[in-house]
Amino acid sequence: MDSFPIIDMEKFNGEERAAIMDKIKDACENWGFFELVNHGISHELLDKVEKNTKGHYRKCMEQRFKELVASKTALEEVQTEISDLDWESTFFLKHLPESNMTEIPELDDDYRAAMKEFVVELEKLAEFLLDLLCENLGLEKGYLKNAFYGSRGPTFGTKVSNYPPCPKPDLVKGLRAHTDAGGLILLFQDDRVSGLQLLKDGEWIDVPPMRHSIVINLGDQLEVITNGKYKSVMHRVLAQTDGTRMSIASFYNPGSDAVIYPAPTLVEQEAEEQSQVYPKFVFEDYMKLYAGLKFQAKEPRFEAMKTIGSTVTPPPIATA
Ligand SMILES: O=C(O)CCC(=O)C(=O)O
Ligand SMILES: [Fe+2]
């Protein structure tokens, strides 16, 4: 089996463009995940984000996590796998359509400034990548960005997580297995402490920690829009006994009122008539369903959306 796709963008604007596009295509078709190096976001900025995130965790989150797990579970007494707990400490930031960054009191000025700069870069990277996906899929440039647009543009947010060392990693996950609900996910993960794994052909495969890389994965909405040409892939985070793992996951998702459905040019007419695999729905309705079913298979979610979403009439997607 091929190894986890690591894609170096350094020579993308030169003669290696076609080869890199092929690697991205292969990763999207066969992995649902890839890891980018030389993606254009400065290492200095990434270092600032990492230092502040780790400092903030130690100052504001670590003690709270210890108290929370102490109040919830007597872990020493647990013998069987815990299925309703994730060994993670998290907080969320919203960027688009509105930022909530000024409302989070514990972020100091340095951290807030670094995150602000970082998410602008990530947004650009997400939109650049969506256009590369369009090119590989034979869709017009701008198709995916427009498909996500709705009336107010995409939803973009960040989940900042730390996975503290865990005394019973065989009984509890850092984060239980799931596919991501949204569009494109950009992950800046710890370069030393590992834990993220994806499911491929029935086997869990490590997403390797790498300094200054950004891991990309595809969510359920891209599976629907590509009519299954690309698939969202199950992933999980293993809890570790040594070290705290940082992960900063940014979700570039459709706007809440965006109508999601397979791109007509990717639907083969005959197959469509026989059985329509993917539904058409309003993104926020999918998110409401996902909230209760995150850790379950995606197929029943797609099935349920066929009923919920059947009254939706999509507007044409403008690509100009
Ligand atoms: O922490 C990670 O590496 C992955 C997080 C994740 O999969 C999620 O938040 O959806
Ligand atoms: Fe995820």
Side-chain angles (χ1 to χ4, degrees):
M1 187 177 54
D2 295 336
S3 51
F4 181 87
I6 296 178
I7 300 179
D8 186 347
M9 298 298 281
E10 191 182 2
K11 306 223 169 95
F12 186 74
N13 292 323
E15 59 195 36
E16 284 181 24
R17 189 180 193 279
I20 296 171
M21 286 300 284
D22 278 350
K23 278 193 189 165
I24 294 173
K25 185 163 187 272
D26 183 74
C28 290
E29 287 175 356
N30 297 308
W31 291 82
F33 266 84
F34 52 95
E35 191 157 354
L36 289 180
V37 292
N38 295 314
H39 37 63
I41 302 179
S42 92
H43 292 181
E44 192 194 346
L45 176 58
L46 293 174
D47 290 342
K48 240 193 299 184
V49 168
E50 177 178 343
K51 185 167 155 269
N52 277 288
T53 300
K54 290 184 171 173
H56 174 266
Y57 174 71
R58 283 191 294 270
K59 199 166 111 205
C60 305
M61 308 290 286
E62 191 169 19
Q63 191 53 31
R64 210 182 294 165
F65 179 80
K66 283 183 184 156
E67 285 162 18
L68 182 79
V69 289
S71 71
K72 265 194 167 174
T73 40
L75 214 60
E76 317 77 58
E77 290 160 25
V78 176
Q79 305 284 340
T80 53
E81 176 143 12
I82 305 172
S83 58
D84 59 353
L85 176 79
D86 299 305
W87 199 262
E88 62 170 2
S89 158
T90 62
F91 67 94
F92 292 87
L93 299 172
K94 291 187 211 162
H95 318 303
L96 295 174
E98 277 117 25
S99 167
N100 72 347
M101 212 107 87
T102 51
E103 293 154 31
I104 303 202
E106 285 168 350
L107 302 185
D108 63 31
D109 290 348
D110 259 12
Y111 192 16
R112 201 172 276 133
M115 285 309 277
K116 226 170 141 185
E117 203 182 328
F118 179 53
V119 300
V120 168
E121 293 299 313
L122 285 178
E123 187 191 336
K124 278 194 267 179
L125 181 59
E127 292 179 355
F128 169 72
L129 289 170
L130 284 180
D131 270 340
L132 301 190
L133 267 54
C134 284
E135 190 176 327
N136 275 336
L137 288 159
L139 294 170
E140 282 173 69
K141 190 170 168 37
Y143 185 93
L144 291 171
K145 186 177 169 192
N146 286 313
F148 282 22
Y149 202 83
S151 63
R152 300 175 69 207
T155 313
F156 190 42
T158 298
K159 177 184 163 203
V160 181
S161 313
N162 281 274
Y163 298 90
C166 176
K168 298 250 178 145
D170 44 336
L171 299 183
V172 61
K173 297 279 174 293
L175 180 61
R176 287 161 285 165
H178 62 283
T179 64
D180 290 333
L184 196 72
I185 299 86
L186 306 98
L187 174 75
F188 176 34
Q189 64 164 346
D190 204 281
D191 63 344
R192 260 163 273 177
V193 184
S194 63
L196 178 60
Q197 297 187 319
L198 64 94
L199 189 62
K200 183 166 164 50
D201 306 326
E203 253 184 84
W204 287 103
I205 296 178
D206 291 333
V207 175
M210 252 181 141
R211 194 152 168 72
H212 298 137
S213 74
I214 301 285
V215 176
I216 306 293
N217 73 290
L218 313 181
D220 295 348
Q221 305 313 304
L222 281 177
E223 175 164 340
V224 174
I225 298 172
T226 66
N227 196 34
K229 299 244 169 335
Y230 296 167
K231 300 248 179 358
S232 61
V233 164
M234 275 277 181
H235 52 283
R236 67 181 185 185
V237 179
L238 295 183
Q240 309 284 5
T241 46
D242 293 324
T244 295
R245 172 172 180 269
M246 175 200 82
S247 107
I248 303 172
S250 295
F251 299 84
Y252 187 99
N253 287 353
S256 56
D257 65 355
V259 179
I260 301 301
Y261 58 99
T265 57
L266 301 180
V267 177
E268 287 159 34
Q269 214 50 49
E270 256 170 82
E272 166 76 342
E273 278 158 20
Q274 280 161 15
S275 80
Q276 175 218 345
V277 179
Y278 291 100
K280 180 191 296 171
F281 52 84
V282 175
F283 179 59
E284 74 179 351
D285 291 337
Y286 191 87
M287 290 312 277
K288 281 183 203 150
L289 182 73
Y290 181 82
L293 299 173
K294 171 169 174 170
F295 298 109
Q296 294 182 28
K298 63 193 162 183
E299 290 80 7
R301 296 199 290 265
F302 292 151
E303 272 313 302
M305 291 316 293
K306 284 185 188 168
T307 326
I308 298 169
S310 59
T311 53
V312 173
T313 316
I317 290 173
T319 49

